[in-house]
Amino acid sequence: MTKKLVGPQRVKTARKRTPQSTAWLERQLNDPYVRKAKADGYRSRSAYKLLELDERFGFLKGARRVIDLGLAPGGWSQVIRRQVPNCTVVGIDLLPVDPIEGVTILHLDFMTDAAPGMLQDALGGSADLVLSDMAANTVGHPQTDALRTMALVEAAADFAYGVLRPGGAFVGKVFAGGADAALVAELKRRFTTVKHAKPPASRKGSVEWFVVCQGFKGESAQ
């Protein structure tokens, strides 16, 4: 019996659905990473961004303590728990996140004064890896959106400097063009290697990139 091929799926525009939301639904239905995430039990397609970055850079290997900044809906923390099951994971997000086994979740804005101390207390020691998938809510103005997201990655990097063990790693989301020159210079002073990467799971039209910093120099870079 010949197997019937299924082509691209389309969503009819419902009375209460905007053309933009219809386009988003069509993209979701036809996205292989969305289908794979459902099959593999991940909460979001972004899990594969972390898997692909780790396959290239290997920062999860041997990690014992990891902080996940902007963890909602939890795909990255799920990857960490699957790749290194005995790892202590602490995540934070302003949005509510359903529990993940083995992950301590703080429902809090990372930019509040109390957040860094609470994360460190929950982790119980120096971090091997700090991950930041944080991005500011977009306002539709590319330069403004890039600056707001850059402010978040700068804050995440400053936090990483204070919590990472020597030899640790930091991975943060940036916009197209990468981190700005001043931040890159500081990261290169603090880490042995600093590279930009766009994993295949990032959509082609997306402006997101990631800065991957490994070999934290600790106090020697102060």
Side-chain angles (χ1 to χ4, degrees):
M1 182 177 179
T2 303
K3 188 174 181 179
K4 184 177 181 181
L5 298 176
V6 178
Q9 299 185 55
R10 295 190 177 278
V11 178
K12 293 182 179 179
T13 303
R15 182 177 298 176
K16 294 183 179 180
R17 185 184 296 137
T18 66
Q20 290 82 3
S21 65
T22 300
W24 181 86
L25 281 171
E26 284 187 357
R27 186 177 67 177
Q28 291 294 100
L29 287 171
N30 293 290
D31 189 328
Y33 282 103
V34 172
R35 294 195 295 269
K36 186 169 175 58
K38 290 181 179 179
D40 292 344
Y42 288 121
R43 295 182 180 181
S44 64
R45 68 186 304 286
S46 66
Y48 300 100
K49 300 174 190 177
L50 184 61
L51 284 166
E52 290 165 353
L53 288 170
D54 182 57
E55 183 177 358
R56 177 175 172 184
F57 296 102
F59 44 73
L60 285 177
K61 185 178 180 181
R64 294 176 299 171
R65 294 188 180 95
V66 178
I67 290 179
D68 184 0
L69 305 177
L71 85 158
W76 279 25
S77 284
Q78 286 182 301
V79 168
I80 299 164
R81 289 291 300 162
R82 293 189 189 186
Q83 297 295 98
V84 277
N86 295 323
C87 180
T88 297
V89 184
V90 179
I92 186 171
D93 206 293
L94 182 60
L95 298 174
V97 180
D98 290 335
I100 302 171
E101 184 178 356
V103 179
T104 299
I105 299 173
L106 304 182
H107 181 204
L108 183 69
D109 185 348
F110 172 68
M111 300 301 284
T112 61
D113 292 340
M118 293 176 66
L119 285 165
Q120 287 181 277
D121 290 344
L123 194 65
S126 297
D128 299 290
L129 174 64
V130 174
L131 301 171
S132 174
D133 195 29
M134 295 188 295
N137 291 330
T138 58
V139 296
H141 185 266
Q143 290 181 323
T144 300
D145 292 337
L147 287 171
R148 293 175 67 186
T149 292
M150 191 56 60
L152 288 176
V153 76
E154 287 174 351
D158 285 340
F159 170 73
Y161 304 150
V163 72
L164 281 173
R165 65 160 178 82
F170 168 68
V171 179
K173 179 187 285 185
V174 295
F175 271 3
D180 67 24
L183 177 58
V184 169
E186 182 64 14
L187 290 170
K188 287 183 175 179
R189 192 173 74 84
R190 302 271 191 167
F191 294 87
T192 303
T193 62
V194 176
K195 297 182 179 180
H196 286 92
K198 186 178 179 69
S202 289
R203 289 190 171 99
K204 291 182 179 180
S206 172
V207 295
E208 72 175 3
W209 281 69
F210 293 89
V211 60
V212 181
C213 312
Q214 295 174 282
F216 182 58
K217 299 174 183 178
E219 294 183 359
S220 64
Q222 299 296 322

